[in-house]
Amino acid sequence: MSESSSTTTFTVPINVVKVSGGTSVEKTKAGRYDTEVKEGCKNLAMGIYEHPYRLPKIEDPYIERDWLLNLMAGAFRVFAKKGFCEGPAGHISVRDPVDPNTFWINPLAVHFSLLTPHHMVHVDEDGTVIGGNRTTVNAAGFKIHSVIHQARPDVNCICHVHSTSGKAFSALGSKLDMLNQDACIFFNNHTVYKDFGGVVLESEEAKHIAEAMGPTNRSIILQNHGLLTVGSNVGEAAYLLCLMDKTCEVQMKVDAVTQNSNRYKRIVIGDVEAGYTYNMTSSPENLYSSFAGDYELEVANSNGALKSMTSYHTV
C-alpha cells in the first residue's frame, strides 16, 4: 500500500465555474476530478511540475514507513511551534504500510517539540503495543484513531489537537463559513460532531465521531472538544489541521468586528467560486506540498533527527 498511489474523489456541487475575465465554463457533474486536480497543482507550481516537495512514489513499504514516521514527528514539532500542546491531549496516527491493520501513534506525556521517529508506538487494532517505542499511549486517542482507521480505508493519517482557537470555535457548534480563499479548502468537506460525550474512553463515543465524519469529509469540528483532520498522507492531514485552526480564529475575529456594526458586514464567498477554489487547491498533493515549508524548517532545526521530504524521491 502506497499513500502516493491513492485516488481521491472530489464531490463538487456545481456545474459551472467562473474563470478569469468573468467567463463561465461548464464542468462535469460530481465525480472524479483527477485530471482537474493535477491541473490545479500545475497552476500552483508554475514552471516545473515535478517540484521538489511533490508526493514521493515509494514502492518499498519499509521505506514508506520511515517516510511516514519522519513526517509524523515533524508534524508534531510544527504543532508545538503553533502552540497546539495541551498536556496529554493531542495525537497523530499513521496507518502502517507493512501491516495496514495496525497504526503508529505518539507516546503519552512527551512534548510535541521533542518527538522523533524513534518515539512512535506501533499498536494493533486492539490497542496492544506490538513494536516501535514500547510505552504507554493516550487511551482516548487510541479509541478515536482506531475506529476512524477501521471505518475509513482511505485515511492513512489522523491529526487531533486541543488548540486554543479550535476549542473556542468548537464551543459555537458551527461549521466554517467561506470567508476567504483559504477557507474554501474546507468547502463541503468538513462537518461538526455535536454530541459531546465526555473524554473518549469508550468505543461507542469514538464510533459516533467516525459516523459524524462520514465517508468523505477530511475535517471535523468536535463540539466542546477540538479539531480533527484526516488525509491520505501526513502532510495533507497536518496542513488541514493547521489551516482549520487558523480559519476558526479568523472567523471568530470577523464575527467580533461585524457583530452589531453599521460599518462592516460579513461577505461570504459564493458556492460557485468556493467550489472552483476547492478543486484548484485541495488535492492531497497540493496540501502535502503546502505543508513542506513548515516541515522543512523543523528538519533544519532538528540536528539530524528528521529527514527532508526530498530524501524519499528516487527519480
Side-chain angles (χ1 to χ4, degrees):
M1 179 204 70
S2 175
E3 293 186 23
S4 57
S5 63
S6 61
T7 302
T8 301
T9 299
F10 295 89
T11 301
V12 184
I14 55 177
N15 295 326
V16 177
V17 297
K18 294 179 181 178
V19 295
S20 59
T23 306
S24 295
V25 294
E26 290 189 359
K27 295 289 179 184
T28 57
K29 293 182 179 180
R32 295 193 180 276
Y33 277 73
D34 299 52
T35 301
E36 181 178 350
V37 167
K38 288 180 182 178
E39 288 298 320
C41 292
K42 287 184 181 180
N43 291 337
L44 296 181
M46 284 184 64
I48 302 173
Y49 176 53
E50 295 296 320
H51 55 85
Y53 300 112
R54 66 190 185 279
L55 277 167
K57 295 178 174 60
I58 303 174
E59 301 297 333
D60 187 328
Y62 291 95
I63 295 177
E64 185 176 5
R65 176 191 280 174
D66 184 72
W67 170 63
L68 289 167
L69 295 180
N70 266 278
L71 266 292
M72 182 181 178
F76 274 117
R77 292 179 178 223
V78 171
F79 287 0
K81 189 161 288 183
K82 293 181 181 295
F84 294 168
C85 299
E86 192 67 65
H91 5 86
I92 299 175
S93 66
V94 294
R95 190 187 301 274
D96 184 59
V98 179
D99 182 359
N101 292 319
T102 66
F103 62 90
W104 297 76
I105 195 167
N106 53 302
L108 187 66
V110 179
H111 196 274
F112 290 179
S113 64
L114 299 175
L115 287 167
T116 70
H118 302 292
H119 281 102
M120 305 310 171
V121 185
H122 193 187
V123 296
D124 65 15
E125 56 190 1
D126 297 319
T128 303
V129 175
I130 58 175
N133 179 23
R134 294 177 177 273
T135 187
T136 54
V137 301
N138 186 310
F142 169 79
K143 291 288 186 183
I144 297 173
H145 291 244
S146 176
V147 172
I148 294 176
H149 277 299
Q150 290 180 47
R152 293 280 298 273
D154 61 309
V155 167
N156 291 323
C157 179
I158 303 169
C159 299
H160 169 58
V161 297
H162 295 184
S163 62
T164 301
S165 295
K167 287 189 291 186
F169 192 81
S170 76
L172 305 176
S174 172
K175 293 178 70 174
L176 296 168
D177 292 328
M178 302 299 103
L179 296 176
N180 52 71
Q181 177 176 299
D182 293 331
C184 293
I185 287 178
F186 301 101
F187 180 67
N188 283 0
N189 197 243
H190 77 288
T191 189
V192 180
Y193 174 61
K194 293 180 175 289
D195 300 317
F196 177 69
V199 177
V200 188
L201 295 177
E202 301 296 333
S203 297
E204 199 63 29
E205 178 72 359
K207 289 178 182 177
H208 292 325
I209 292 174
E211 289 169 357
M213 190 152 200
T216 58
N217 285 312
R218 288 183 290 180
S219 306
I220 185 168
I221 297 165
L222 306 177
Q223 187 171 293
N224 303 113
H225 186 168
L227 308 178
L228 186 146
T229 60
V230 304
S232 62
N233 67 78
V234 177
E236 176 185 6
Y239 185 72
L240 283 171
L241 195 288
C242 296
L243 184 61
M244 189 172 222
D245 178 77
K246 183 65 71 175
T247 304
C248 289
E249 179 186 357
V250 170
Q251 184 161 327
M252 289 187 291
K253 287 182 175 180
V254 170
D255 287 346
V257 170
T258 57
Q259 185 178 26
N260 301 322
S261 173
N262 294 323
R263 180 177 181 183
Y264 300 109
K265 65 177 182 179
R266 292 167 107 253
I267 300 174
V268 179
I269 296 171
D271 286 357
V272 169
E273 294 82 1
Y276 177 77
T277 304
Y278 174 82
N279 280 326
M280 291 295 102
T281 59
S282 65
S283 71
E285 175 105 19
N286 271 340
L287 298 179
Y288 177 81
S289 62
S290 295
F291 187 65
D294 281 333
Y295 175 80
E296 293 297 337
L297 178 60
E298 296 310 314
V299 172
N301 294 332
S302 72
N303 294 317
L306 302 175
K307 298 177 184 177
S308 170
M309 286 178 169
T310 60
S311 301
Y312 296 92
H313 290 293
T314 57
V315 293

